[in-house]
Amino acid sequence: MGPRTTFELLARWLWRGALLLGLAVAAAPASAAPADPIALKTCILRDAPGLDARTLLREPGRFDCTTPQRDFGAGDFWLISQPLNVSAVESRYVLRMASVWQHAVTAHVLFADGAMVSIRTDASQASHHVQLGGIIERILPHHAAPIVRVLWHTEGSPNLRGLLLAPTLTTTTSAGLVNVRMAAAYGAFGGLVLALLIYNLALWRVLRYPFLPFYCLMLLALGGYAYASSGAISLAFPDISNTMRMRINYVTLGLGGVSAMAFVRCFFEPRVFTRRLTFLANAAGAGVMIAALGIALTGEWQLPFFDALYSVAFPALISLIVPVLYSAWRRGSEYLGLFALAWGLPIVLALLRCANILGFVPYRFWLDNSTLVAMAVESVTSSLAIAYRIQQISRDRDLAREQELAARVLADIDPLTGLLNRRAFLARAIGREEEQVLLLADIDHFKLVNDTIGHDGGDEVLRVVARTLRQAVPLEALVARFGGEEFAIVVPASQAIEAETVLARLRGARMPFDLTVTASIGVTRGALTRESDWKALYRAADAALFDAKKAGRDRARGQIRRVA
């Protein structure tokens, strides 16, 4: 089984596991407390003049318990819980609810003895009470009588995701345990983001691959989103308003989605992103950032419009991953299996978050904080994915270098004999410091050879002569075919061999059809530091070669004197 098949198999199983985990998250209980939380169900009544908490607690039948919260639209509302019978315990009780965009919410807690406690939390106070996970927590005063009902009054709610999300009643002990666990989870998440950021920045500095900066930007954006959406930002800035914290959520999550898509575009081969996919990705990304910046800059002034744009653009951007993966599959991307392996679970969770934004999936605590799970899985597998991607790019780069080197070698080699061609021979020969010996060899009566055994046989004779010459001279010697049946040899004078030895090797070489082939050689010696030296040497050797031919061939001739 090849590596690509292995990765595709792993990716397929990861997608199945991610889907099951995502469905489990979507179906998980809305409460965040692990011990003894009581999930508070709510019925709703739109606010009107003259309504007060005492009256409404006595008349719960006026509330609508069937219409979904989003269908009520924006405004001020009353929400009442189901009847309760929560007795006093040693630790005090805590009201917990997910943070939403609104001016204020007041909780009225009714006890069995008729006492009522009212706790108001406005947008500026919410940051003092927000816990990790984006949960607003208000501690109730200790009271001996049991709690029988809770009534909330929300003010100025745009009702973007709901009026009151995941209200629960639990003890301070149980809530404290949840907060400790969330602190550990977010601490680990912060460490993962920091480690991944340093690792990928270091890779980018060394390798300069274009997808690494977008990956680092995505890490920063998602880290910022987790920092703001979890409520951790309130620990550093206690006076930050809850609405400002949510504006930061929009911007950082939008930037994370846009940079993630940019990372995907650079991670896959260029052929994967067609013109249509590129246009759709650019349009969705622009819509996300326009909406996020609109919310951040205008606040409540144009909040419904920009939130609606965000609710369409962001799911559209994330959903584009489906046609991108299909395109990668159709075009045979080498990185499809690896990408699915690393990003299967984050993609499933992101799609579930989009379904929540659109109202198809109700609010769930762990779904709202699924960035932790997604990045934890992604951090384990992304290193493998990016390392494999870099290995593939390095392999392609090495192959390109090998091909370039092979092309250069081929440009220097005579294709018939495998010896250097004239250009490469001169480039390597001219500039040698010590005295050199030049031998020019020319096969005798080569036209007769071609006429006797044909041009194919003549080519084989040339190959045998070239091989014999290469074997007859030292390794430091340069041997070239100058064209036709003429060959040149340059060798240092200190290692020069006798021309007669070369002729003897040629006479003894086994030729096609046992043909006898001889050659004539012209020899000279001298400096070879400049091009003018080469011209002088060549003229002398060529003259000696002519003498050898004139003297009867199959012999060597050379100048006794040194060529200056």
Side-chain angles (χ1 to χ4, degrees):
M1 182 182 294
R4 182 176 175 183
T5 306
T6 303
F7 279 122
E8 289 177 350
L9 183 61
L10 289 172
R12 191 179 303 119
W13 281 105
L14 181 64
W15 271 94
R16 292 175 182 174
L19 182 60
L20 291 175
L21 181 58
L23 293 174
V25 170
S31 173
D36 59 348
I38 300 172
L40 301 178
K41 301 176 182 178
T42 57
C43 301
I44 305 171
L45 176 67
R46 183 176 288 275
D47 195 11
L51 297 180
D52 64 84
R54 286 284 184 182
T55 301
L56 293 176
L57 283 168
R58 290 193 298 268
E59 302 174 0
R62 301 175 62 177
F63 288 79
D64 184 346
C65 299
T66 58
T67 304
Q69 291 187 17
R70 288 190 178 191
D71 293 350
F72 283 91
D76 300 342
F77 297 89
W78 294 88
L79 298 93
I80 195 168
S81 73
Q82 75 271 31
L84 303 169
N85 185 21
V86 180
S87 301
V89 291
E90 292 184 3
S91 59
R92 296 160 70 180
Y93 274 99
V94 176
L95 270 177
R96 291 167 61 89
M97 57 187 176
S99 172
V100 295
W101 193 306
Q102 58 194 2
H103 290 170
V105 59
T106 303
H108 305 278
V109 182
L110 180 65
F111 295 91
D113 60 1
M116 186 176 69
V117 174
S118 299
I119 303 175
R120 177 182 170 83
T121 308
D122 62 26
S124 60
Q125 294 174 330
S127 59
H128 295 276
H129 303 285
V130 69
Q131 306 297 316
L132 290 175
I135 298 296
I136 294 177
E137 183 178 285
R138 298 306 305 265
I139 300 176
L140 304 180
H142 192 276
H143 198 81
I147 299 172
V148 295
R149 208 123 199 181
V150 181
L151 178 73
W152 294 269
H153 183 225
T154 65
E155 303 171 32
S157 174
N159 198 5
L160 302 176
R161 307 287 178 263
L163 300 169
L164 193 69
L165 298 181
T168 59
L169 187 64
T170 187
T171 63
T172 53
T173 301
S174 180
L177 182 58
V178 172
N179 292 335
V180 169
R181 290 179 177 176
M182 291 302 296
Y186 273 99
F189 175 77
L192 283 174
V193 169
L194 183 61
L196 283 172
L197 188 61
I198 294 173
Y199 167 69
N200 287 282
L201 281 174
L203 283 179
W204 178 65
R205 180 182 178 126
V206 175
L207 301 175
R208 297 291 176 178
Y209 293 139
F211 58 84
L212 290 173
F214 290 113
Y215 186 78
C216 293
L217 180 60
M218 182 194 67
L219 288 175
L220 286 173
L222 292 181
Y225 171 73
Y227 184 60
S229 66
S230 68
I233 191 173
S234 301
L235 301 177
F237 304 97
D239 296 328
I240 189 173
S241 68
N242 201 45
T243 53
M244 177 58 70
R245 185 177 66 84
M246 291 187 174
R247 294 182 191 187
I248 297 174
N249 290 349
Y250 278 101
V251 174
T252 52
L253 183 60
L255 182 60
V258 171
S259 55
M261 184 55 67
F263 164 76
V264 173
R265 289 176 64 175
C266 294
F267 187 84
F268 282 114
E269 301 91 337
R271 67 179 183 272
V272 170
F273 267 79
T274 62
R275 288 186 177 180
R276 179 174 296 179
L277 279 177
T278 301
F279 171 78
L280 292 175
N282 291 339
V288 167
M289 293 313 300
I290 289 172
L293 293 174
I295 293 171
L297 298 176
T298 64
E300 297 181 13
W301 178 46
Q302 292 292 336
L303 180 60
F305 169 76
F306 284 118
D307 181 75
L309 176 60
Y310 195 90
S311 299
V312 172
F314 191 84
L317 180 67
I318 300 302
S319 299
L320 277 176
I321 196 65
V322 176
V324 167
L325 294 178
Y326 177 73
S327 176
W329 173 73
R330 283 202 61 184
R331 287 162 175 78
S333 171
E334 293 187 45
Y335 313 120
L336 174 60
L338 199 62
F339 181 85
L341 176 67
W343 287 85
L345 180 60
I347 289 171
V348 169
L349 293 176
L351 291 174
L352 286 173
R353 290 287 299 275
C354 292
N356 171 251
I357 291 175
L358 296 172
F360 300 124
V361 174
Y363 170 87
R364 294 289 183 264
F365 175 79
W366 283 110
L367 179 58
D368 196 49
N369 290 273
S370 60
T371 306
L372 295 177
V373 180
M375 290 303 296
V377 173
E378 195 276 338
S379 66
V380 174
T381 54
S382 68
S383 296
L384 175 64
I386 292 177
Y388 180 75
R389 178 74 169 89
I390 291 172
Q391 181 187 30
Q392 293 293 93
I393 292 175
S394 298
R395 186 192 65 184
D396 294 342
R397 182 184 61 188
D398 293 343
L399 180 60
R401 287 178 175 175
E402 291 176 2
Q403 291 174 343
E404 180 183 1
L405 181 60
R408 289 180 179 178
V409 170
L410 289 175
D412 292 345
I413 297 299
D414 172 60
L416 178 63
T417 63
L419 298 179
L420 294 174
N421 58 31
R422 185 186 185 99
R423 181 191 58 80
F425 176 83
L426 295 179
R428 300 185 189 187
I430 297 174
R432 291 192 167 196
E433 295 295 333
E434 65 175 290
E435 189 176 53
Q436 303 291 313
V437 173
L438 172 63
L439 297 89
L440 289 182
D442 188 89
I443 300 176
D444 296 330
H445 304 296
F446 187 69
K447 184 179 183 302
L448 181 60
V449 171
N450 279 332
D451 292 341
T452 303
I453 60 176
H455 286 284
D456 289 341
D459 289 346
E460 182 60 27
V461 167
L462 290 172
R463 283 191 283 267
V464 173
V465 169
R467 185 167 59 250
T468 303
L469 292 177
R470 180 70 267 183
Q471 294 171 350
V473 298
L475 293 177
E476 292 79 4
L478 298 177
V479 184
R481 181 188 176 201
F482 262 36
E485 65 272 21
E486 185 178 69
F487 298 83
I489 301 171
V490 164
V491 62
S494 58
Q495 302 180 29
I497 62 170
E498 293 294 332
E500 291 296 338
T501 303
V502 176
L503 290 174
R505 296 285 291 269
L506 286 173
R507 296 185 195 107
R510 185 171 182 178
M511 297 292 173
F513 302 101
D514 292 327
L515 195 68
T516 299
V517 175
T518 62
S520 301
I521 297 178
V523 184
T524 191
R525 62 188 296 167
L528 196 48
T529 56
R530 299 181 300 274
E531 187 176 356
S532 58
D533 295 336
W534 161 254
K535 292 179 178 179
L537 277 177
Y538 184 78
R539 283 195 301 269
D542 189 55
L545 175 61
F546 179 78
D547 290 343
K549 293 280 187 180
K550 189 177 180 180
R553 295 182 171 84
D554 190 20
R555 66 197 65 214
R557 291 289 184 269
Q559 289 186 207
I560 304 299
R561 65 182 180 86
R562 175 180 176 181
V563 176

